[in-house]
Amino acid sequence: MSSYDLINTFFEQWKTQAVELEILPQTQGAEVLRDGASMGVGKMTLAGAFIEARQVFWGSQRAPNLQSEALEATRVLLFLHPEHLTAANYRKKSLIVAQRLAKEEKLSLEGRLTSELSLLESFLTSPLHRHSKSPTLWNHRRFVMQVFLIQGLIIDIQALWRFELAIVMKAGEQHPQNYYAWNLMGTQHWALCFMLLSVVTSMLLGDHEALQALRGRSPALIDCLMSKNITISIPTSSDFTQLSKPFNLRLPYVPAAITLPTTYHQVSDSVHCACESGTKVQAKSGGHSYASFSSGGKNDSLIIDLEKFQQISVDSSSYIATVGGGVRLGNLAEGIYNHSQRALPHGSCPGVGVGGHFTHGGYGYDARSWGLALDTIVGLDIVLANGSYIHATNTSYPEIYYGMRGAADSLGIITTFYLQTVEAPESVVNFHIDLPAVLNSKEAAADYFLDVQEMAQNASIVDRNLGFNLWTDGTDFVFQGAYMGSYSKFTNDILPDLLRPFPTPRSEDIQELGWLDSLANMAGGALAQPLTNYNAHDTFYAKSIVTQQSRPLERESLESFFGFMISNKSNFTFPWFTTIDLWGGADSQINTVPVSASAFSQRSTLWLIQSYASVALPPPAEESPDEPPAASLISLVADMTDSLTSVQPDGNFSAYPNYVDPNLTAAEAHQSYYGEETYERLAALKTAIDPEGLFWNPQAIGVKG
């Protein structure tokens, strides 16, 4: 019997428990020494067995019926060479296949997983020079433990914790500063804490069905994803907390899994796995959804995180930008400007992702001049619910192109945007004018606003190059914005007319800046955003009002609104405010686009109003005078909004989908964001391309209620 066969016979004999292994100096006599559950192999003998193992392994790759021989060969390969990635990956893939077969044939995988852990324990705790600090072996053990957790095979959590700690401590005897061992222990700690919390919670609630579910969250989905070549994160993964943390901490949801694809094929595979397992899907571009819809809008969805899709380029002849679905606005602005001095209209928050922002409007101060961000889309690469990958334009898949520009979250996943850029201006005027005297009384405030509203529709004063908003928290009143023209024209011809209705300002800040400096000034900081580990969050509730150009705000509604703001200005210590952006008015390019051009319906708008309130980070555990519970936030924002709309019942108000309101029912959201005609067209499209409602959130197209 060869040394290769002797070694494998020993492994097979003791495959259900750990053994002690040692590589010996080559001496005269026996080449393989065995004593019970211990084996020593001479170094040169092991090298010879390694050569035979390599021949067996590669030979078996050409013969599918010899897969068990290949698996045996990997034990010898890893015995000599613990960083043999091909061998480790083969064992991993073999386990994935075994998972699938066990599921199909309703068999237990426990014996196979126990054998794998025993082999790894043998390598990691034996007196071998390199094995106990091998990142390949420790990472493989982490993978096997994740499969154990997913399969719901861990019953005695405390015993498992002690067992894993003992292995790490024993490995530490070989190498005391063993980073990979302690890193695995940290990962296992959080995974087991999560599982223990789930089990205890279910036991306390007496929910035995939930207990069973928590022992293996969405196993069919996880099994499928693990059979694909996709990076995934599940609740037991070390990076899951960071990846699943929403922008709005008031609405945390726990996905069943998060995939981080790098190609459209992997996006398609993710969608296929969700479809096969009956799991709802949402894409995450920047994750800034006000309602945490980019976290699924409920627990147990599959989130397809597009943070790896970071391409930014500009064609030198057409000036069309090719932009990955995970790019954030700040990086987009810098990328296209530095590439070819080009620009795009979009919002001022640099951390917002292009995915939701561009497909649900995309307003910024420059939108009155260049149109909305959505209006720059000339093509989209999309993965549909059936996993197919298409390129949609106004001539190729025109109905999908129509629907994705307004309702992409319900219809597909955009991996690449094609955006028509414009030449960036050499300079932009930024202005910030503080006017607290406007709020001396609700009557005075209404008078001032009515004057501004009239001026905004006067083409002799206002043109498309001017964008501004009015900001107030009941104490301060700020008039701020940007002018896409020369400093002299703004200060000499436009600003005097803008300020004529107002009382004397407390302060004025007027600057002429370069394009990128202007964007950074409006953002209040740097444009560049991290490509991974993004960590900006808030705890808030917001509502929006979209007013009609044909139905300007009336005195009674304005007095009601400003009266509410003034009377409550000292009642809260946390941030709360309202912004009123000029959307339409004279020469606005937003309103020149026909309603039928896309599924974005707000094309006759005058004002975009947002009311917003937030509390401390993280959300307070208990109610206190300074930090209200969520109900108080919602009530305050609802009262701000109602103070305006309830007094003007014929205002025909709607809402802005990028300021999505989670408190609207699906029916209310559909009417507020789309209107009847657009929604009916979208519903027909949804039925045609996603009949099972795979792409889902509580307000998605097709959701009832």
Side-chain angles (χ1 to χ4, degrees):
M1 185 177 290
S2 69
S3 57
Y4 170 82
D5 291 329
L6 287 171
I7 293 169
N8 262 320
T9 298
F10 177 83
F11 278 132
E12 195 65 25
Q13 180 183 356
W14 298 97
K15 67 179 181 180
T16 60
Q17 69 181 75
V19 296
E20 183 171 301
L21 305 170
E22 190 170 358
I23 300 175
L24 305 171
Q26 195 70 34
T27 58
Q28 298 296 324
E31 298 173 330
V32 179
L33 303 177
R34 292 177 291 179
D35 182 12
S38 300
M39 177 173 64
V41 182
K43 189 172 185 179
M44 294 303 296
T45 299
L46 184 56
F50 179 89
I51 293 172
E52 184 175 349
R54 191 166 55 185
Q55 293 170 342
V56 171
F57 179 79
W58 290 114
S60 67
Q61 301 303 295
R62 294 186 290 272
N65 61 320
L66 297 178
Q67 289 181 359
S68 60
E69 285 82 349
L71 203 60
E72 291 177 357
T74 60
R75 294 187 295 206
V76 179
L77 295 175
L78 291 169
F79 189 3
L80 180 66
H81 185 9
E83 294 306 308
H84 201 298
L85 284 172
T86 303
N89 284 337
Y90 186 86
R91 298 192 71 84
K92 177 179 178 181
K93 290 178 181 178
S94 176
L95 277 175
I96 292 170
V97 172
Q99 273 186 283
R100 187 164 59 245
L101 292 175
K103 174 187 172 184
E104 292 172 355
E105 300 176 13
K106 295 182 171 53
L107 301 174
S108 173
L109 200 59
E110 186 170 7
R112 175 65 189 279
L113 292 170
T114 300
S115 297
E116 195 71 14
L117 288 176
S118 297
L119 179 67
L120 288 167
E121 183 184 352
S122 301
F123 284 144
L124 294 168
T125 60
S126 293
L128 301 171
H129 177 63
R130 299 162 57 202
H131 293 63
S132 61
K133 62 175 182 180
S134 164
T136 297
L137 294 179
W138 284 112
N139 284 332
H140 186 49
R141 187 173 184 88
R142 178 186 292 111
F143 165 77
V144 177
M145 288 301 301
Q146 285 183 348
V147 176
F148 245 107
L149 291 168
I150 292 166
Q151 294 293 316
L153 297 173
I154 307 300
I155 301 300
D156 191 337
I157 295 175
Q158 291 184 341
L160 175 65
W161 170 257
R162 290 193 296 269
F163 181 72
E164 288 296 292
L165 182 60
I167 292 173
V168 170
M169 295 295 288
K170 191 169 183 181
E173 294 175 5
Q174 310 297 327
H175 293 279
Q177 295 180 338
N178 196 331
Y179 166 81
Y180 299 104
W182 288 110
N183 183 53
L184 174 115
M185 204 64 224
T187 302
Q188 304 294 46
H189 167 79
W190 289 113
L192 294 173
C193 282
F194 172 82
M195 186 174 180
L196 180 61
L197 178 62
S198 299
V199 172
V200 170
T201 300
S202 295
M203 291 175 66
L204 289 173
L205 294 174
D207 188 348
H208 301 292
E209 184 177 338
L211 173 60
Q212 181 62 31
L214 285 166
R215 290 177 68 230
R217 182 184 293 273
S218 303
L221 172 68
I222 307 303
D223 288 349
C224 181
L225 290 172
M226 292 181 72
S227 71
K228 311 293 184 182
N229 186 28
I230 312 170
T231 300
I232 69 170
S233 180
I234 59 177
T236 58
S237 302
S238 58
D239 59 355
F240 184 82
T241 298
Q242 191 277 324
L243 288 171
S244 63
K245 192 174 185 179
F247 174 67
N248 188 356
L249 299 179
R250 192 178 66 81
L251 298 169
Y253 299 108
V254 182
I258 301 168
T259 62
L260 293 104
T262 58
T263 67
Y264 75 83
H265 292 290
Q266 293 181 347
V267 175
S268 179
D269 284 343
S270 299
V271 169
H272 273 303
C273 287
C275 186
E276 289 180 6
S277 62
T279 306
K280 300 302 185 184
V281 177
Q282 278 286 270
K284 179 180 179 182
S285 176
H288 270 248
S289 169
Y290 279 21
S292 295
F293 287 171
S294 51
S295 297
K298 69 177 185 68
N299 293 335
D300 296 329
S301 293
L302 172 64
I303 304 307
I304 300 178
D305 192 325
L306 300 174
E307 72 169 24
K308 304 298 184 184
F309 289 79
Q310 294 293 333
Q311 178 187 5
I312 302 174
S313 63
V314 181
D315 184 87
S316 59
S317 57
S318 67
Y319 295 109
I320 292 174
T322 302
V323 179
V327 173
R328 299 183 187 274
L329 298 184
N331 297 334
L332 172 64
E334 285 195 334
I336 62 174
Y337 183 83
N338 292 335
H339 186 279
S340 53
Q341 288 72 57
R342 305 295 287 184
L344 286 163
H346 53 68
S348 60
C349 180
V352 168
V354 297
H357 187 73
F358 272 71
T359 59
H360 296 90
Y363 170 83
Y365 289 141
D366 44 22
R368 294 188 70 257
S369 181
W370 298 335
L372 297 170
L374 178 145
D375 299 328
T376 70
I377 298 173
V378 295
L380 298 166
D381 291 341
I382 308 164
V383 174
L384 299 176
N386 63 4
S388 62
Y389 180 67
I390 66 168
H391 179 70
T393 67
N394 63 352
T395 58
S396 175
Y397 301 98
E399 193 66 8
I400 295 176
Y401 176 67
Y402 162 87
M404 294 295 289
R405 294 173 302 130
D409 58 309
S410 299
L411 301 174
I413 297 176
I414 300 170
T415 60
T416 308
F417 288 80
Y418 300 88
L419 308 172
Q420 183 62 66
T421 65
V422 297
E423 183 178 359
E426 292 184 6
S427 63
V428 180
V429 179
N430 289 190
F431 59 93
H432 181 102
I433 302 168
D434 193 8
L435 298 154
V438 166
L439 301 174
N440 284 345
S441 71
K442 65 179 183 180
E443 293 82 7
D447 284 338
Y448 292 128
F449 188 92
L450 288 169
D451 286 340
V452 171
Q453 184 168 256
E454 182 179 353
M455 175 187 66
Q457 300 177 84
N458 186 340
S460 67
I461 300 174
V462 171
D463 63 22
R464 70 182 65 178
N465 293 319
L466 178 67
F468 68 80
N469 74 29
L470 307 170
W471 181 99
T472 182
D473 62 358
T475 299
D476 288 324
F477 186 96
V478 175
F479 182 33
Q480 58 190 352
Y483 180 68
M484 312 277 284
S486 72
Y487 182 84
S488 60
K489 179 174 177 58
F490 178 74
T491 55
N492 294 331
D493 300 338
I494 297 175
L495 185 60
D497 285 327
L498 294 179
L499 293 181
R500 186 168 292 118
F502 290 115
T504 302
R506 180 169 63 187
S507 64
E508 297 182 25
D509 180 15
I510 303 170
Q511 304 180 64
E512 185 175 30
L513 301 168
W515 174 242
L516 291 184
D517 288 338
S518 170
L519 293 179
N521 182 57
M522 289 185 285
L527 293 178
Q529 300 295 300
L531 301 183
T532 60
N533 299 317
Y534 182 80
N535 199 34
H537 307 280
D538 198 359
T539 305
F540 68 96
Y541 177 60
K543 288 181 75 70
S544 66
I545 305 169
V546 172
T547 77
Q548 300 303 304
Q549 185 101 355
S550 60
R551 300 185 185 182
L553 292 173
E554 298 172 355
R555 174 176 295 279
E556 292 77 9
S557 59
L558 291 167
E559 287 188 4
S560 173
F561 168 72
F562 284 115
F564 178 88
M565 301 296 288
I566 294 168
S567 63
N568 285 281
K569 64 182 179 183
S570 302
N571 290 351
F572 306 99
T573 59
F574 54 88
W576 64 289
F577 59 85
T578 293
T579 60
I580 307 175
D581 285 275
L582 179 63
W583 181 291
D587 202 27
S588 171
Q589 297 304 291
I590 301 172
N591 290 344
T592 62
V593 179
V595 174
S596 60
S598 72
F600 185 82
S601 299
Q602 271 67 347
R603 295 298 184 176
S604 58
T605 299
L606 181 55
W607 300 107
L608 169 61
I609 304 170
Q610 177 183 203
S611 294
Y612 190 106
S614 64
V615 297
L617 299 174
E622 298 179 356
E623 183 176 357
S624 71
D626 294 332
E627 302 296 353
S632 296
L633 276 186
I634 294 169
S635 176
L636 170 61
V637 172
D639 288 346
M640 279 194 280
T641 303
D642 289 346
S643 69
L644 189 68
T645 58
S646 63
V647 185
Q648 192 171 333
D650 61 345
N652 193 24
F653 300 113
S654 58
Y656 179 44
N658 265 337
Y659 298 158
V660 60
D661 179 356
N663 280 31
L664 296 180
T665 66
E668 289 170 338
H670 300 157
Q671 180 60 37
S672 296
Y673 300 143
Y674 302 111
E676 184 175 352
E677 184 176 348
T678 298
Y679 181 75
E680 287 181 357
R681 185 172 173 183
L682 285 170
L685 176 61
K686 177 77 168 177
T687 300
I689 66 174
D690 185 15
E692 301 302 319
L694 184 72
F695 298 120
W696 185 95
N697 62 61
Q699 297 173 3
I701 304 301
V703 173
K704 306 297 182 182

